[in-house]
Amino acid sequence: MHAALAGPLLAALLATARARPQPLDGGQCRPPRSQRDMNSFLWTIRRHPPAYLFGTIHVPYTRVWDFIPENSKAAFQASTRVYFELDLTDPYTISALASCQLLPHGENLQDVLPRELYWRLKRHLDYVKLMMPSWMTPAQRGKGLYADYLFNAIAGNWERKRPVWVMLMVNSLTETDVRSRGVPVLDLYLAQQAEKMKKSTGAVERVEEQCHPLNGLNFSQWFPVGDIHSPPAVLA
């Protein structure tokens, strides 16, 4: 059953992973002419004191920070409590996310994928590992990041993971994504800033509420997985 689910989509990803065009490092968005031209993705709940919903995105914060309008940043600054999708500063959250990605009963990916697809996947990951040193930036090396460490941080234990999580992993193993490793995604950056500002923080979801739906996807639901969006942060 796992093999029937995993085959077509992983094959499609592997076929396009190397050929997919990469965006320019500086981004291709033109800066808005003024703050009025910027979509804030900020919703206000009219109460006293006010509360806000802010739509976030799982990309390095440096790619989007200059495009976040001042009203959103001001709402974050003024809030005393901030609630995120998950508490990414909690070690238990990170550990639970890693555990939920594993195949059950000690199975390996080689047991559930078609043989040809498994070896195509392995060859692709070998290619990524070979290319990783040339993809890294001087800034990453200056922070003490090494190619082998970075590869293991992203793809370590991949043979034990469920196919849906391997699919997401392969989709993120591009030169552009590798070059941005070490920069926190927007959600994590806001959580780190909230802690520095001594704000009260929390999460609106549990790890199980994220993992179980993904682990339970059937074949017809796998194709839009890459378009899953995170819920908004809640500011109060």
Side-chain angles (χ1 to χ4, degrees):
M1 179 176 178
H2 288 297
L5 294 178
L9 188 52
L10 271 175
L13 278 172
L14 290 173
T16 60
R18 299 187 195 182
R20 185 170 56 184
Q22 301 296 319
L24 298 176
D25 287 345
Q28 295 177 331
C29 296
R30 292 183 178 180
R33 295 179 180 178
S34 69
Q35 285 283 329
R36 292 181 180 180
D37 296 328
M38 301 174 80
N39 188 334
S40 66
F41 299 100
L42 182 73
W43 296 79
T44 303
I45 302 172
R46 299 192 183 281
R47 55 185 284 270
H48 184 73
Y52 306 91
L53 291 175
F54 177 58
T56 57
I57 184 171
H58 294 313
V59 298
Y61 82 95
T62 50
R63 291 189 191 176
V64 296
W65 190 251
D66 291 342
F67 298 92
I68 296 176
E70 292 304 321
N71 66 335
S72 300
K73 295 176 180 177
F76 177 78
Q77 291 279 348
S79 298
T80 57
R81 297 186 298 276
V82 187
Y83 298 88
F84 298 93
E85 176 184 3
L86 292 172
D87 185 359
L88 297 178
T89 63
D90 182 3
Y92 166 78
T93 299
I94 305 304
S95 174
L97 280 171
S99 297
C100 86
Q101 297 178 23
L102 300 180
L103 285 162
H105 314 304
E107 289 181 310
N108 289 301
L109 201 59
Q110 194 169 9
D111 301 325
V112 299
L113 284 184
R115 178 181 175 84
E116 180 184 355
L117 179 58
Y118 172 82
W119 286 108
R120 285 177 62 192
L121 172 62
K122 190 175 189 308
R123 287 194 299 270
H124 177 71
L125 293 177
D126 288 342
Y127 160 80
V128 169
K129 189 172 184 178
L130 179 67
M131 296 300 297
M132 189 79 78
S134 66
W135 289 353
M136 293 184 63
T137 66
Q140 288 173 319
R141 296 189 186 93
K143 293 178 181 178
L145 290 176
Y146 296 95
D148 285 345
Y149 170 82
L150 200 55
F151 180 84
N152 288 329
I154 301 171
N157 208 26
W158 66 268
E159 293 188 87
R160 285 279 294 114
K161 292 184 178 182
R162 296 171 184 265
V164 65
W165 296 100
V166 174
M167 180 202 71
L168 294 173
M169 178 195 76
V170 169
N171 203 37
S172 70
L173 280 171
T174 65
E175 181 177 354
T176 299
D177 287 320
V178 167
R179 291 170 70 87
S180 66
R181 288 284 171 160
V183 179
V185 295
L186 180 60
D187 306 59
L188 179 57
Y189 175 74
L190 290 174
Q192 292 170 341
Q193 294 304 304
E195 283 198 341
K196 288 181 181 178
M197 298 175 188
K198 308 298 182 184
K199 298 179 186 293
S200 174
T201 62
V204 297
E205 292 184 13
R206 300 191 307 272
V207 170
E208 296 77 13
E209 292 172 326
Q210 282 217 343
C211 284
H212 291 172
L214 280 175
N215 290 345
L217 287 177
N218 61 42
F219 178 78
S220 66
Q221 295 169 317
W222 276 44
F223 288 90
V225 162
D227 296 325
I228 288 177
H229 300 290
S230 63
V234 181
L235 316 177

